[in-house]
Amino acid sequence: MRFQMGIKNIRRNIRRSLINISTVAIAIFCMVVFESLMLGEWIDIVENYSSMGIGQVIITRKGYNEGETNQLNKLIEEPENVIKRIETIRGIRKVSIYLKTGCLFSFKGKQLPVLVQGVDFTREKNPIINSAGLPLPDRYEYKILIGRRLAEEIGIKRGDIIFLYGMTAFGTFNLIDLEVSGFFKAPLATFEKRTVYIPIDVLKEFLGVEGVSEISLSLRRDIEPSEMVNMLKQKIGDDYKVQSIMDYIPQLKDIRALQTGFLGLFWFILLLITVFGIVNIMLISVWERKKEIGTLRAIGYSKLDIIGIFLAEASGIGFIGGLIGILVSGIVAYLMQRYGIPMPSEVLEGIDFPIQTRIYGIFSGLVLVKSLVLAIVATTGGAIIPALRAAGMKIIDAIREY
């Protein structure tokens, strides 16, 4: 009975109800779209790092990158055995192997330090390597891919010969000449300027090693890197170190914390505005319906019944407004996920951060359900004070108001 009367009041006071429903719908729309963009941008950053050879999860041998000058003595000697142990784990989208070392890059008297990444071009297909165009170097070809910004900085053209000078696994120094076969484009300017790719077998020969520096894993979007780290540790044992991208690049923790804090503040402000609007309009409703409240109390409705009617009306408004909000915002989130929002080049100019020129949202059913529940809870919570005021009226005072 309380619920039915609450719903009838929504239809009876249609103008006031529409104002409340519109307030809720707009708030939910803003929440869902904003969270969709934040989630999409986070995934975009992680995937861009992944395309640069920094997977969402990285497996290295224990002791690698832990103080020794020559890291070539701490390589994974049999990566295929490790890959066989983990390939059945659900959620792994792609497995890549990399051999990495620092070298001195030299061209026509110009020298600069670079990170050399040895990759298997027949297996490794990512947007950065593919951006260099075909054909890619074969396994034993003495060729190199360099970043477009590096090429522009020191005037390199396709077909030029460059030299790499670096330390081998034996502590001696070696020199190799390579032909430039293409130029890749990366989402990070410093990466384009200070990273080069060569065939992994050529780099192994140059360094005098057989192993790889790391095994890099790209995950499905619904898999948390921290969960994958725990599963991998159980599979591969204590001889290897498993890190998530958050551990490998500590700055990402700050970015994620900033996003979470900003998103929480945004949600709080919108919910506060919604609750404030509901409280004010419901208080007006109580004032306008004094006689009705008094009559209901006179014919036997208890204080609890009056509270129930107002809370049912508020929850109905929250449900309708929330439903409209998630339907419209869900469509917008889906379109953002499919087509993205272009970013003006002027905005991105001078930003050295792995973001694309188009921002994509993420369509998340969980976000939609959470938003609908919050809409109902917020409107119902906002109606508590007006409902208590209505229930606390003296019957005689309410009836004689008119």
Side-chain angles (χ1 to χ4, degrees):
M1 179 66 74
R2 298 171 191 169
F3 184 76
Q4 290 175 341
M5 288 196 67
I7 298 304
K8 283 181 181 178
N9 284 336
I10 295 176
R11 296 200 305 267
R12 190 177 62 180
N13 305 291
I14 192 67
R15 181 177 296 179
R16 184 171 56 241
S17 297
L18 284 176
I19 293 173
N20 277 333
I21 288 169
S22 299
T23 302
V24 174
I26 292 170
I28 294 302
F29 173 83
C30 293
M31 291 175 188
V32 173
V33 170
F34 186 74
E35 185 159 354
S36 169
L37 283 172
M38 293 282 277
L39 185 58
E41 188 56 30
W42 169 251
I43 291 175
D44 184 50
I45 289 170
V46 172
E47 289 188 345
N48 282 334
Y49 271 116
S50 181
S51 71
M52 292 186 287
I54 305 170
Q56 286 144 290
V57 175
I58 301 100
I59 301 172
T60 58
R61 188 175 161 189
K62 262 196 172 169
Y64 183 77
N65 266 348
E66 291 183 1
E68 288 187 24
T69 305
N70 193 343
Q71 299 296 321
L72 298 175
N73 297 317
K74 294 289 185 179
L75 301 180
I76 301 173
E77 297 298 337
E78 298 179 337
E80 296 302 331
N81 290 341
V82 178
I83 293 171
K84 282 180 183 178
R85 279 190 255 171
I86 65 175
E87 61 187 2
T88 57
I89 297 178
R90 185 186 66 87
I92 297 176
R93 185 162 51 91
K94 189 180 73 167
V95 179
S96 304
I97 57 173
Y98 294 97
L99 177 57
K100 299 181 179 180
T101 189
C103 285
L104 191 65
F105 182 99
S106 178
F107 175 73
K108 292 184 177 179
K110 299 174 183 176
Q111 297 178 340
L112 68 161
V114 295
L115 172 66
V116 182
Q117 296 204 47
V119 300
D120 183 350
F121 289 106
T122 61
R123 291 177 50 177
E124 182 59 30
K125 305 296 181 185
N126 70 43
I128 289 180
I129 291 176
N130 290 339
S131 70
L134 297 174
L136 293 170
D138 290 332
R139 288 184 62 180
Y140 298 102
E141 277 193 294
Y142 281 67
K143 293 188 176 182
I144 186 170
L145 298 181
I146 69 173
R148 295 181 186 181
R149 286 184 173 90
L150 174 58
E152 292 169 1
E153 186 179 319
I154 56 180
I156 298 176
K157 302 186 295 296
R158 193 187 301 270
D160 284 342
I161 302 297
I162 65 92
F163 296 91
L164 291 179
Y165 181 72
M167 181 182 289
T168 70
F170 312 106
T172 58
F173 289 92
N174 201 359
L175 182 69
I176 186 174
D177 58 289
L178 301 159
E179 179 187 339
V180 177
S181 65
F183 310 105
F184 65 81
K185 183 175 175 59
L188 197 62
T190 50
F191 187 87
E192 267 193 32
K193 290 180 178 180
R194 295 295 179 265
T195 305
V196 298
Y197 291 101
I198 70 174
I200 191 168
D201 293 295
V202 173
L203 186 56
K204 285 179 179 180
E205 182 185 353
F206 172 66
L207 298 174
V209 299
E210 289 298 327
V212 300
S213 303
E214 64 186 46
I215 299 171
S216 175
L217 308 181
S218 297
L219 310 178
R220 288 205 324 245
R221 288 189 168 189
D222 59 329
I223 302 297
E224 280 291 328
S226 57
E227 295 175 8
M228 181 59 66
V229 167
N230 294 330
M231 287 189 282
L232 288 169
K233 284 180 178 178
Q234 295 174 4
K235 280 279 188 179
I236 63 177
D238 297 330
D239 294 333
Y240 302 94
K241 181 169 66 175
V242 184
Q243 293 176 286
S244 75
I245 191 171
M246 304 283 276
D247 300 318
Y248 203 77
I249 307 175
Q251 300 93 316
L252 287 180
K253 288 184 179 179
D254 299 331
I255 295 169
R256 191 58 174 160
L258 184 63
Q259 281 190 332
T260 302
F262 191 65
L263 185 62
L265 179 63
F266 188 75
W267 275 80
F268 176 76
I269 291 171
L270 284 177
L271 285 174
L272 193 64
I273 293 170
T274 302
V275 170
F276 183 76
I278 293 293
V279 169
N280 276 283
I281 293 177
M282 292 296 281
L283 283 173
I284 294 171
S285 175
V286 170
W287 179 264
E288 291 177 348
R289 290 155 61 184
K290 275 188 175 183
K291 187 175 182 180
E292 176 189 334
I293 294 166
T295 303
L296 290 173
R297 292 280 286 115
I299 63 175
Y301 278 73
S302 66
K303 290 183 177 181
L304 194 60
D305 290 329
I306 300 300
I307 291 173
I309 290 169
F310 276 88
L311 293 184
E313 181 180 347
S315 62
I317 288 170
F319 177 77
I320 296 169
L323 192 61
I324 293 171
I326 66 171
L327 286 174
V328 177
S329 61
I331 293 170
V332 172
Y334 172 77
L335 293 174
M336 289 193 301
Q337 178 174 287
R338 188 178 178 89
Y339 302 107
I341 301 173
M343 291 283 286
S345 56
E346 296 81 9
V347 174
L348 298 174
E349 191 174 345
I351 298 178
D352 188 18
F353 199 69
I355 56 176
Q356 302 285 12
T357 56
R358 188 173 287 270
I359 297 177
Y360 291 89
I362 294 296
F363 178 82
S364 170
L366 181 62
V367 171
L368 297 181
V369 172
K370 178 180 73 175
S371 301
L372 180 59
V373 171
L374 274 174
I376 296 171
V377 171
T379 51
T380 305
I384 290 175
I385 294 175
L388 290 173
R389 179 168 292 187
M393 286 183 182
K394 293 181 179 180
I395 298 175
I396 190 65
D397 292 339
I399 291 177
R400 71 184 180 186
E401 181 68 26
Y402 294 95

